[in-house]
Amino acid sequence: MSDLISYQLEDGIATLTLNNGKVNAISPDVIAAFNAALDQAVQDRAVVIITGQPGILSGGYDLKVMTSGPQNAVALVTAGSTLARRMLSHPFPIIVACPGHAIAKGAFILLSADYRIGVEGPFNIGLNEVQIGMTMHHAGIELARDRLRKSAFHRSVINGEIFNPEGAVDAGFLDKVVPVEQLMATAVAVAQQLKKINMTAHKNTKLKVRKAFLETLDKAIELDQQHLG
């Protein structure tokens, strides 16, 4: 499908593998590839597994783009927030198999999925925006507020606290942690289980459960465009 995101369909499960350099930076091209892969997954009526390279899901937005000018930064953040919204309302289940680090936008990918599996090891998961001098965007705040435990939300967003995989389960970034060699087998087992649910009921229930949150997210994306623009 793309050099940046490979797409593999097997037995009703679409595996999207992010492959953009050593930190899997999220660039405009990566987001375009992500959207194309999700379009294909809808066409294939597939449960989705998103994963990265050994040791990393993503280190966040492409800093070259983020520092190339305010307009470019706003456009990338808007595209990223819109992708998060799309994942949250995707008609089929989305699982993330996180093979290691997930920082900034990498962690937001976790917060946008239906089920998140991480791996044991010395990996960092969290939102480092305030550590690197960025005021957290509205959409990011709302996504974290909705998916993280309240105590962890404040520590994560305001203090920039980074969690190890076990701490990330407690905080709400992950649902489960497994040994690294079991990551993909566990993700496929979860996908096989989720294939058994009624997909119309899944889609309708997901949209009903997340209705108010998706409206809040839409307003936040608009605010970010005004504020950053």
Side-chain angles (χ1 to χ4, degrees), residues 125-139:
I125 294 170
L127 307 171
N128 70 338
E129 278 78 354
V130 298
Q131 286 187 23
I132 60 170
M134 291 173 69
T135 300
M136 182 70 79
H137 55 303
H138 290 96

Side-chain angles (χ1 to χ4, degrees), residues 68-81:
S68 66
Q71 267 70 36
N72 293 341
V74 172
L76 181 53
V77 170
T78 300
S81 298

Side-chain angles (χ1 to χ4, degrees), residues 63-204:
L63 288 177
K64 284 196 203 83
V65 179
M66 292 298 284
T67 56
S68 66
Q71 267 70 36
N72 293 341
V74 172
L76 181 53
V77 170
T78 300
S81 298
T82 305
L83 174 63
R85 191 207 187 283
R86 178 179 186 177
M87 287 175 63
L88 287 158
S89 55
H90 191 72
F92 300 92
I94 295 181
I95 300 154
V96 176
C98 179
H101 302 296
I103 297 293
K105 184 58 185 174
F108 283 124
I109 290 171
L110 296 175
L111 296 180
S112 306
D114 299 308
Y115 198 86
R116 301 80 44 88
I117 306 157
V119 292
E120 294 169 356
F123 298 114
N124 295 323
I125 294 170
L127 307 171
N128 70 338
E129 278 78 354
V130 298
Q131 286 187 23
I132 60 170
M134 291 173 69
T135 300
M136 182 70 79
H137 55 303
H138 290 96
I141 290 168
E142 295 307 335
L143 194 49
R145 193 197 309 277
D146 189 73
R147 299 303 300 269
L148 296 179
R149 277 183 53 202
K150 190 171 183 182
S151 58
F153 163 66
H154 290 275
R155 284 157 49 202
S156 175
V157 174
I158 298 170
N159 300 354
E161 183 173 334
I162 301 298
F163 300 87
N164 64 20
E166 290 74 17
V169 173
D170 190 50
F173 286 104
L174 295 173
D175 295 299
K176 183 181 215 172
V177 172
V178 297
V180 65
E181 62 276 10
Q182 293 175 22
L183 177 64
M184 291 315 293
T186 304
V188 169
V190 171
Q192 292 287 6
Q193 195 60 38
L194 285 170
K195 271 172 58 185
K196 297 175 185 171
I197 64 178
N198 180 292
M199 292 303 165
T200 304
H202 167 79
K203 177 184 76 173
N204 292 340

